[in-house]
Amino acid sequence: MTVTAAAQHLPIKSYTTSDGLAHNTVNRIVKDSRGFLWSCTEDGLSRFDGYSFTNYSMEQGLPHRVVRDFVETRSGEFWLATHGGLVRFNPQGTPVNRVINANEAITPAPMFTVVFPEDSDRLARATIVLLESRDGTLWCGTAKALYRLERHNGRYELVNSSPLAGGGRKEMEVFDLLEDRRGALRVGTNDRGLFRRLPDGRMQHFTERDGLPDRNINDLFEDHQG
């Protein structure tokens, strides 16, 4: 006897700019601790509460319209990766129609403030991916370098943590970051291969000579077996 089972069709709802989304190209979606969904788009940041979108753009102080990543830290801070720099986001802050350096003393507190690297190259500021490691360090991958965020007496500093490789070459476009279960930071890059930063700070480098098919690493994931 042959038994035929009908597949279940689950309801799928597509959201676009006609529903209030900031842009139809979405780079990443992140759920925060309160259950809101944050969409990083090519034209600002969108928050979805299950019913409608609230959008944030350069008119509220974003340094660039392209938003690539969103992180909520364990302490409850919101950080954004934008093509104009690393951005601290305070939803209760005051919208200001200009770019504000995070090390400026501004009252009342603005909605968006930006941490810039010392390197003024636009590629160094074009932030692609963020990761908070288990020790609380915020890692920041840009189109030119790997940075870690440091705080000194209330001031922010992005410290270049890119490894030297290939005749002293330091530039690296970071596509993804992953902290594995052993506490090592893995860095996927464009055309530089895979790097692994051990907990003691030593850096290992993997390319085709170690078995990779090529040097472009777009995404990293650790399975249940490690």
Side-chain angles (χ1 to χ4, degrees):
M1 182 178 66
T2 302
V3 177
T4 303
Q8 182 180 7
H9 292 280
L10 299 177
I12 296 176
K13 165 66 177 173
S14 297
Y15 294 94
T16 67
T17 53
S18 63
D19 302 291
L21 184 66
H23 195 277
N24 286 336
T25 300
V26 178
N27 298 311
R28 184 158 296 186
I29 300 175
V30 179
K31 183 179 180 181
D32 71 14
S33 59
R34 297 177 60 191
F36 293 116
L37 291 177
W38 297 89
S39 296
C40 305
T41 83
E42 291 291 296
D43 195 16
L45 180 70
S46 290
R47 187 193 74 177
F48 186 61
D49 61 8
Y51 302 96
S52 61
F53 290 94
T54 301
N55 296 323
Y56 304 86
S57 67
M58 296 177 68
E59 294 180 356
Q60 286 84 40
L62 275 175
H64 198 284
R65 66 186 186 89
V66 177
V67 182
R68 296 290 297 271
D69 203 359
F70 178 103
V71 162
E72 180 182 13
T73 67
R74 295 176 187 85
S75 63
E77 292 181 342
F78 290 158
W79 290 92
L80 308 176
T82 79
H83 279 195
L86 172 65
V87 176
R88 185 179 181 189
F89 173 38
N90 176 10
Q92 283 74 49
T94 301
V96 180
N97 190 15
R98 68 180 181 92
V99 177
I100 297 178
N101 192 303
N103 290 323
E104 291 184 48
I106 301 293
T107 304
M111 181 173 286
F112 296 103
T113 55
V114 189
V115 182
F116 297 108
E118 290 187 1
D119 190 341
S120 61
D121 187 342
R122 65 179 181 83
L123 293 179
R125 297 187 177 191
T127 312
I128 298 172
V129 62
L130 304 174
L131 172 75
E132 184 191 26
S133 57
R134 285 192 284 273
D135 65 2
T137 300
L138 185 65
W139 294 93
C140 175
T142 77
K144 188 176 181 180
L146 172 68
Y147 292 95
R148 70 177 184 275
L149 181 67
E150 293 192 355
R151 311 184 198 208
H152 305 283
N153 300 319
R155 295 182 63 83
Y156 297 100
E157 179 185 4
L158 283 171
V159 178
N160 193 324
S161 302
S162 301
L164 289 171
R169 177 185 173 199
K170 200 168 187 177
E171 291 79 10
M172 59 189 295
E173 184 176 11
V174 180
F175 278 172
D176 201 15
L177 297 170
L178 168 74
E179 184 180 28
D180 66 26
R181 63 184 61 188
R182 298 177 179 84
L185 178 69
R186 296 175 184 260
V187 184
T189 74
N190 176 34
D191 197 41
R192 289 280 304 275
L194 175 68
F195 291 87
R196 180 168 63 188
R197 186 182 188 274
L198 300 176
D200 61 8
R202 288 182 296 131
M203 191 73 77
Q204 298 173 327
H205 186 206
F206 303 94
T207 62
E208 299 96 330
R209 68 176 183 271
D210 304 291
L212 286 175
D214 60 44
R215 296 179 178 229
N216 295 317
I217 310 296
N218 295 303
D219 199 11
L220 298 168
F221 178 80
E222 182 177 20
D223 68 14
H224 68 282
Q225 293 180 327

